[in-house]
Amino acid sequence: IVNSFQNLTSDLADVINSKKGSITVGLPPMVGAKFFPKIISDFTSTYPDISLTLLEVGSQEVQVGVDDGNLDIGVVMLPIDESLFEVISIINEPVVLIVHPEHFLANKSTVALRELKDENFIFFREGFTLHDRIINRCIENGFTPNIVFKSNHWDFISEMVAINFGVALLPQTVCQDIDPKRVKILSVIEPNIRWNLGTIWKKDRYLSFAAKEWLKFT
């Protein structure tokens, strides 16, 4: 009954304040920087009276924020528990390996994950789902990765590879902006690691006008 009353209150507010409102969206940093600038620009131009707040944190923190109501909508790495969240898949692509041009693997086009057991890795920090997923894949292939540096930013990670500080695994799209003269990009096989992202919101929670329009844009 309380939830129904809150939803009715929100619904009435949407009717009274047509095309007004607020929305808080959680985005992993490299997702926001790479995919959302135009969406944000178009959205704010179309709905100048809607207050849009973006919070850049890792997928795990986004999921917690959507679950506890601090975020209206979030973008996370899939899969997640779909009994709790509504999910729309928006990106599904491979994770690739980047190495220094003088690395012994640089002349190859593909590499098996087990070939990297003696490498120094540069990782995303804890809180990023990709951090845990890559570690788990390495363990499944017989080794624990030697992580020498962690960062929240893909461009900083690629710079560390460019100075031959280690190797890194990054989503394919992110690597399109990296200078091919400074790093080499290799496909990873056995296993193929996917970067599958989805927009999520909490099941059975009221979606405001602003949130619904954001979903249409994304």
Side-chain angles (χ1 to χ4, degrees):
I1 293 172
V2 171
N3 287 339
S4 297
F5 179 77
Q6 290 173 339
N7 287 349
L8 179 60
T9 303
S10 299
D11 204 6
L12 287 171
D14 278 349
V15 173
I16 295 169
N17 302 304
S18 180
K19 295 191 176 182
K20 294 182 179 181
S22 62
I23 179 175
T24 303
V25 180
L27 297 171
M30 65 176 165
V31 177
K34 185 67 180 176
F35 296 100
F36 279 87
K38 187 177 188 307
I39 293 173
I40 294 167
S41 175
D42 290 347
F43 185 83
T44 54
S45 296
T46 304
Y47 300 108
D49 293 326
I50 290 179
S51 173
L52 174 63
T53 301
L54 299 176
L55 181 64
E56 286 194 309
V57 292
S59 284
Q60 295 176 15
E61 293 177 69
V62 171
Q63 185 171 330
V64 171
V66 173
D67 187 44
D68 63 22
N70 289 322
L71 297 173
D72 298 301
I73 293 173
V75 174
V76 300
M77 193 167 176
L78 304 178
I80 62 168
D81 185 355
E82 294 193 23
S83 68
L84 299 175
F85 304 99
E86 301 286 357
V87 180
I88 300 175
S89 180
I90 56 175
I91 301 167
N92 191 349
E93 64 180 39
V95 171
V96 297
L97 175 71
I98 60 171
V99 301
H100 188 270
E102 296 180 1
H103 192 279
F104 77 95
L105 293 171
N107 292 325
K108 300 184 67 172
S109 58
T110 62
V111 60
L113 191 61
R114 62 179 177 275
E115 296 180 67
L116 306 176
K117 62 183 181 65
D118 296 323
E119 296 298 316
N120 293 326
F121 281 85
I122 304 162
F123 260 52
F124 285 106
R125 292 191 181 279
E126 295 83 353
F128 290 77
T129 303
L130 202 55
H131 172 279
D132 293 348
R133 190 157 300 175
I134 292 173
I135 289 178
N136 291 337
R137 292 292 182 272
C138 291
I139 292 172
E140 290 168 4
N141 281 265
F143 70 98
T144 300
N146 180 35
I147 303 171
V148 295
F149 194 83
K150 297 178 183 179
S151 174
N152 291 334
H153 305 286
W154 67 266
D155 49 350
F156 193 82
I157 290 174
S158 65
E159 283 298 312
M160 296 299 283
V161 174
I163 63 171
N164 208 14
F165 196 73
V167 304
L169 293 159
L170 293 174
Q172 187 177 57
T173 297
V174 169
C175 296
Q176 292 176 356
D177 294 332
I178 299 176
D179 186 350
K181 296 179 181 178
R182 304 187 66 215
V183 300
K184 295 296 182 181
I185 302 172
L186 292 74
S187 297
V188 179
I189 58 173
E190 300 175 10
N192 179 261
I193 305 171
R194 306 296 299 182
W195 192 53
N196 185 7
L197 297 180
T199 297
I200 67 167
W201 63 99
K202 188 72 179 289
K203 279 190 173 180
D204 302 322
R205 181 175 293 157
Y206 177 79
L207 274 180
S208 67
F209 169 82
K212 290 175 183 175
E213 291 306 299
W214 175 262
L215 288 173
K216 289 180 184 178
F217 270 77
T218 55

